[in-house]
Amino acid sequence: GGCIMIAFVHGMTVDMTVSSVVVEAGGIGYEIYMTGADLSEIRMGEDVKVHTYFSVREDAMKLYGFRAKDDLQMFKLLLGVNGVGPKAALGVLAGITADELRFAILSDDVKTLSKAPGIGKKTAQKLILELKDKMKLEDAFELKLAHEQERAVVGAGGVSDGRQEAVEALVALGYSSADALRAVRKVTDVPPDDVEGLLKAALKNF
């Protein structure tokens, strides 16, 4: 059903259930089914933007949503596999991140994929078979890195400036951003705004 395209819903959280959130946008309350991990980050009465997929079937019309656009892309890829419905696809992403999913597919990791509810070994193998040629290892690494950096910045709260600068300085020195990030993260005894101190301590971690 490609008739209605709701790409995202941006509005206020007015209600929540175990498996969904109701976002009011433009006077309409959209009930959106999400993973537990995503729901746990959403607060009542808060402004939220959810990237959505509108699923139309004979018996039901439902909105599925994700906080990250990347998760939605993966969700759509999963739906493209014969025999995988929205519920199963959501179940896969509830257990592992989009990054882990990409790596599981690229490395033929049937075990990780078949952990998801509604995905048995057969379906996991089918997922790998059908999706492997749609992904590239270098893209998977790049995306993972970008997400780690986003999370490092978010996770460090507002104090990330110094750490971010230290990471950038290390990258400028020729270290990979993954290594730089790891080295800076290991530094716990230096105030996060002391860039020089962070750098010196991080360099010892190489």
Side-chain angles (χ1 to χ4, degrees):
C3 47
I4 301 179
M5 185 63 210
I6 301 176
F8 66 85
V9 176
H10 186 182
M12 190 192 271
T13 311
V14 288
D15 199 8
M16 286 180 90
T17 72
V18 213
S19 55
S20 68
V21 61
V22 178
V23 178
E24 185 183 326
I28 300 170
Y30 296 91
E31 182 172 17
I32 307 165
Y33 291 86
M34 299 179 78
T35 65
D38 268 354
L39 286 169
S40 70
E41 288 178 20
I42 293 174
R43 306 274 168 268
M44 283 290 285
E46 234 181 37
D47 201 42
V48 69
K49 181 177 179 180
V50 183
H51 299 277
T52 51
Y53 174 85
F54 189 48
S55 161
V56 181
R57 311 188 132 195
E58 288 88 58
D59 53 343
M61 291 203 272
K62 278 184 176 181
L63 269 175
Y64 292 88
F66 302 90
R67 290 180 59 107
K69 206 171 179 177
D70 187 32
D71 288 348
L72 178 64
Q73 300 307 127
M74 290 308 291
F75 179 77
K76 286 180 178 169
L77 273 180
L78 289 170
L79 285 184
V81 177
N82 205 357
V84 178
K87 224 182 192 151
L90 194 67
V92 172
L93 287 160
I96 55 178
T97 65
D99 289 317
E100 289 165 338
L101 176 57
R102 259 190 292 270
F103 283 111
I105 290 166
L106 287 162
S107 61
D108 295 328
D109 187 350
V110 174
K111 207 171 113 199
T112 296
L113 292 175
S114 51
K115 273 190 208 147
I119 303 276
K121 204 171 161 184
K122 266 208 171 93
T123 312
Q125 283 162 336
K126 193 154 56 170
L127 275 181
I128 291 168
L129 198 69
E130 291 189 27
L131 295 181
K132 204 170 183 175
D133 57 347
K134 294 188 178 164
M135 327 187 157
K136 279 206 208 76
L137 198 57
E138 50 270 33
D139 293 350
F141 274 112
E142 268 173 40
L143 282 160
K144 186 175 193 316
L145 209 72
H147 296 150
E148 275 177 9
Q149 275 173 321
E150 274 166 37
R151 276 195 286 271
V153 174
V154 172
V159 295
S160 67
D161 302 344
R163 298 174 77 164
Q164 191 62 27
E165 269 177 55
V167 169
E168 278 160 21
L170 288 168
V171 172
L173 289 171
Y175 293 101
S176 80
S177 33
D179 289 341
L181 205 61
R182 229 171 274 141
V184 171
R185 273 212 198 133
K186 279 188 194 153
V187 180
T188 48
D189 49 355
V190 179
D193 51 0
D194 175 7
V195 180
E196 208 174 322
L198 283 169
L199 252 178
K200 280 186 184 144
L203 281 165
K204 285 190 191 130
N205 286 328
F206 282 108

